[in-house]
């Protein structure tokens, strides 16, 4: 590795002969010194494979890269999405931490949309509708789906169902168990041009047989009108919000219907509190900065090719899917802002699953596989269920797994040996409140952005998803029997498709 991250190699080499257990034994104070709190979130980085000198080097890089200034520029509405020449003003959706004209204007628009959401919520609550079908994909689905799954109370006014996949079985299965008379649909698409969403929207519209129960969220009001949804039932989106950062906007309307408006606003408040922390805390006390530096350390100094996120709370089972899009669509880049190749590896593959289920799935590889996988463990201190024995066991498992990965276990039998020295971060939420979940998601959003600054890439475009979409559009006639494919392998595959029932 060369360039500004290059000094990390030296520290990685220096530390290569030692172990986490040794680092902690030699410096027990790191158990508390490498930990910090931001509102309802506590984070402990003591089990990362760096020492104080390596951390000094990381924070020096943070200073040189002006991470504090970068956060300020993001929140102020500068054109941080340089390849598309626009701002990424998602922080303005949740609070008014910035005083610049673009940020204030964005915040005013967001508050107006929130008022519209309240109005539509009340309108629906006055109707016979009990079931909401939320139709969208990617950023127009994953965030709201996570929020609804994590936070919807059992006695919510509406039950919200998510329809994202293009595969017609998804629509078939969902609609088979719903009554159109008691259902409404929200079509969520920033572009209102995404094929999956428009096809599923058309299926649901025909099934509902009543356009008055169709709602839309989009930054393309003209396309919404052409689809036949009246402005009174449409909520706005803007080009200054990226899809994967949009759950705080009207894209979160379906989630707000699942949670109730009050809880949705509490979520926004918790998210805004994390923005305020990110903007005001000094680098050494700044949670997103620690998280981003740790990610860069693991990827670039230690060469980790993947990163796991393991929430130990059933309600957070969809968090890995949301973070996969957030992290990998943002950081899956190999050229810098100026178009030159990046000098260091960027995003690792992010993956994960809820614990304790995951322990009985892939943990064998985490403990004894040949690849070291850094882990973000996420736990919730206070449970909201009455099963105390389960909760104690759940927390014991969470702590035990992190300890086992770090310390390992010696044995004369190589099959029984746990090598240990496998790093993790522990994130603890006091309770899974809307505010705490808001803070947690914003921690990851800002960490992702800061990693992009350290790598010199744009976190806010996603040109890489376009080619496949264009080719699929081009192949559609051939699939339906008209025309041929240019690519010889695709031609052979088409012949197979046509030859089968
Ligand atoms: O997967 C690519 C993508 O453009 C995402 O960034 C976006 O969240 C998703 O498609 C859906 O786009 P839209 O909201 O415009 O339908």
């Amino acid at each position: 590795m060369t360039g500004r991250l290059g000094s990390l190699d030296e520290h990685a080499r220096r530390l290569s002969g030692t172990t986490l257990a040794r680092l902690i034994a030699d410096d027990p104070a790191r158990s508390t010194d490498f930990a910090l709190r931001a509102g309802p979130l506590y984070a402990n980085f003591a089990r990362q494979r760096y020492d104080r000198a390596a951390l000094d080097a990381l924070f020096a890089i943070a200073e040189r890269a002006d991470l504090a200034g970068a956060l300020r520029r993001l929140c102020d509405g500068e054109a941080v999405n340089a390849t598309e020449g626009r701002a990424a003003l998602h922080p303005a959706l949740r609070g008014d931490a910035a005083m610049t004209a673009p940020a204030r204007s964005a915040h005013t628009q967001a508050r107006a949309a929130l008022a519209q959401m309240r109005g539509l919520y009340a309108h629906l609550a006055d109707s016979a509708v009990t079931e909401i079908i939320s139709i969208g994909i990617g950023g127009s689905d994953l965030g709201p789906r996570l929020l609804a799954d994590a936070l919807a109370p059992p006695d919510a006014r509406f039950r919200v169902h998510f329809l994202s996949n293009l595969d017609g079985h998804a629509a078939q299965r969902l609609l088979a168990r719903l009554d159109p008379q008691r259902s409404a649909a929200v079509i969520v698409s920033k572009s209102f041009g995404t094929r999956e969403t428009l096809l599923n929207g058309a299926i649901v519209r025909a099934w509902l047989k009543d356009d008055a129960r169709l709602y839309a969220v989009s930054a393309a009001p003209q396309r919404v009108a052409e689809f036949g949804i009246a402005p009174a039932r449409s909520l706005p989106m803007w080009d200054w919000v990226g899809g994967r950062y949009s759950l705080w906007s009207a894209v979160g309307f379906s989630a707000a219907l699942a949670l109730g408006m009050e809880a949705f606003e509490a979520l926004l408040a918790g998210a805004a509190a994390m923005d305020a922390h990110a903007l005001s805390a000094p680098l050494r006390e700044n949670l997103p900065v620690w998280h981003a530096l740790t990610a860069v350390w693991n990827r670039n100094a230690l060469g980790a090719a993947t990163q796991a996120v393991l929430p130990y709370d059933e309600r957070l089972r969809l968090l890995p899917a949301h973070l996969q899009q957030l992290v990998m669509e943002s950081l899956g880049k190999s050229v810098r802002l100026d178009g030159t190749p990046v000098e260091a590896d960027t995003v690792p593959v992010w993956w994960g699953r809820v614990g304790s289920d995951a322990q009985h799935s892939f943990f064998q590889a985490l403990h004894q596989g040949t690849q070291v996988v850094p882990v973000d463990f996420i736990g919730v201190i206070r449970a909201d269920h009455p099963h105390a024995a389960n909760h104690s066991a759940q927390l014991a498992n969470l702590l035990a797994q992190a300890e086992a990965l770090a310390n390992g276990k010696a044995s004369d039998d190589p099959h029984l040996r746990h090598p240990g020295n496998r790093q993790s971060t522990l994130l603890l939420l006091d309770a899974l409140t809307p505010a705490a979940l808001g803070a947690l998601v914003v921690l990851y959003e800002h960490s992702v952005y800061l990693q992009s600054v350290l790598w010199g890439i744009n976190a806010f475009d996603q040109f890489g998803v376009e080619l496949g979409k264009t080719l699929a559009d081009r192949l559609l006639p051939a699939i339906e029997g008209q025309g041929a494919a240019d690519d010889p392998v695709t031609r052979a595959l088409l012949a197979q498709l046509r030859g089968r029932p």
Side-chain angles (χ1 to χ4, degrees):
M1 194 198 317
T2 55
R4 65 182 171 192
L5 301 177
S7 67
L8 297 180
D9 283 346
E10 209 177 287
H11 289 281
R13 258 195 310 277
R14 181 177 56 76
L15 293 169
S16 62
T18 188
T19 62
L20 261 177
R22 184 78 266 143
L23 286 172
I24 294 168
D26 287 350
D27 181 8
R30 60 185 270 151
S31 305
T32 48
D33 288 356
F34 288 15
L36 58 161
R37 173 171 279 282
L41 260 186
Y42 166 87
N44 193 309
F45 297 91
R47 290 208 178 103
Q48 289 296 337
R49 280 163 53 199
Y50 39 48
D51 63 358
R52 289 177 197 267
L55 266 178
D56 286 346
L58 282 163
F59 279 102
I61 289 169
E63 291 275 2
R64 279 202 300 281
D66 189 20
L67 292 192
L71 281 164
R72 174 50 66 195
R73 286 192 291 283
L74 171 84
C75 294
D76 280 352
E78 285 189 26
V80 290
N81 179 356
T83 52
E84 297 180 297
R86 58 194 187 211
L89 263 169
H90 45 279
L93 297 169
R94 44 218 188 198
D96 54 0
M99 299 300 286
T100 59
R104 292 193 74 81
S105 150
H107 184 63
T108 305
Q109 293 175 70
R111 296 306 294 182
L114 197 59
Q116 269 178 277
M117 284 166 69
R118 271 189 228 110
L120 291 184
Y121 185 103
H123 175 76
L124 275 163
D126 269 349
S127 74
V129 167
T130 56
E131 314 299 315
I132 304 289
I133 303 174
S134 183
I135 307 165
I137 198 162
S140 294
D141 170 72
L142 291 162
R145 197 190 276 255
L146 161 68
L147 299 180
D149 195 56
L151 298 172
D155 58 349
R157 171 65 184 78
F158 304 104
R159 270 187 300 272
V160 181
H161 313 269
F162 289 86
L163 178 57
S164 56
N165 201 335
L166 181 58
D167 183 352
H169 297 106
Q172 185 188 41
R173 283 184 174 184
L174 175 63
L175 300 184
R177 57 188 173 86
L178 297 179
D179 172 3
Q181 301 301 325
R182 303 186 68 81
S183 304
V186 187
I187 304 179
V188 189
S189 177
K190 180 179 169 182
S191 61
F192 227 76
T194 302
R195 189 176 288 282
E196 287 96 326
T197 301
L198 294 182
L199 283 169
N200 280 333
I203 292 173
V204 173
R205 174 194 211 159
W207 172 85
L208 272 179
K209 293 198 183 73
D210 182 0
D211 282 4
R213 277 180 278 122
L214 264 188
Y215 294 77
V217 182
S218 182
Q222 186 59 39
R223 287 180 174 175
V224 172
E226 282 159 20
F227 193 87
I229 299 178
R233 282 179 281 107
S234 303
L235 290 161
M237 247 287 265
W238 308 276
D239 68 356
W240 44 263
V241 184
R244 52 196 176 273
Y245 300 87
S246 67
L247 68 165
W248 324 101
S249 72
V251 165
F253 182 49
S254 313
L257 290 168
L259 270 62
M261 286 308 297
E262 213 175 296
F264 188 75
E265 290 183 45
L267 171 99
L268 296 183
M274 181 55 80
D275 287 324
H277 164 83
L279 282 172
S280 63
L283 290 183
R284 294 259 181 180
E285 292 156 39
N286 195 308
L287 191 41
V289 171
W290 269 83
H291 194 271
L293 291 175
T294 302
V296 165
W297 170 259
N298 278 321
R299 183 71 182 116
N300 299 132
L302 303 185
T306 85
Q307 162 77 44
V309 57
L310 305 170
Y312 271 65
D313 190 302
E314 179 71 7
R315 296 166 296 177
L316 293 176
R317 63 187 170 170
L318 300 185
L319 183 68
H322 176 64
L323 294 183
Q324 264 180 335
Q325 191 208 16
L326 175 67
V327 179
M328 292 169 72
E329 200 163 271
S330 298
L331 300 175
K333 317 285 163 66
S334 44
V335 290
R336 297 165 53 85
L337 284 162
D338 63 6
T340 57
V342 287
E343 59 196 11
D345 278 321
T346 61
V347 73
V349 173
W350 270 65
W351 56 289
R353 192 172 176 196
V354 72
S356 63
D357 284 3
Q359 289 175 203
H360 301 271
S361 167
F362 50 72
F363 267 47
Q364 167 64 36
L366 295 187
H367 287 290
Q368 289 186 314
T370 51
Q371 286 211 21
V372 172
V373 180
V375 176
D376 275 7
F377 284 105
I378 300 174
V380 179
I381 299 171
R382 193 199 81 205
D384 293 310
H385 60 70
H387 310 293
N390 287 56
H391 191 53
S392 300
Q394 177 79 338
L395 292 178
N397 272 278
L398 164 69
L399 297 184
Q401 293 298 334
E403 190 180 313
L405 284 170
N407 298 344
K409 182 172 155 270
S411 173
D412 291 339
D413 181 341
H415 298 289
L416 300 184
R417 200 179 146 255
H418 287 57
N421 203 28
R422 296 179 176 215
Q423 65 270 40
S424 64
T425 292
L426 192 60
L427 296 168
L428 290 175
L429 280 66
D430 292 339
L432 189 62
T433 60
L437 183 54
L440 179 68
V441 174
V442 172
L443 158 64
Y444 279 100
E445 285 186 0
H446 288 324
S447 172
V448 162
Y449 168 60
L450 294 174
Q451 290 170 61
S452 79
V453 173
L454 292 166
W455 285 323
I457 59 178
N458 184 0
F460 302 111
D461 62 16
Q462 60 282 321
F463 297 114
V465 301
E466 293 308 323
L467 178 60
K469 287 186 197 171
T470 313
L471 285 178
D473 285 348
R474 229 184 278 158
L475 280 174
L476 199 52
I479 294 275
E480 289 172 346
Q482 292 152 15
D486 298 335
D487 181 273
V489 179
T490 305
R491 261 203 308 278
L493 297 172
L494 274 173
Q496 285 297 311
L497 297 184
R498 286 180 186 147
R500 302 277 166 226

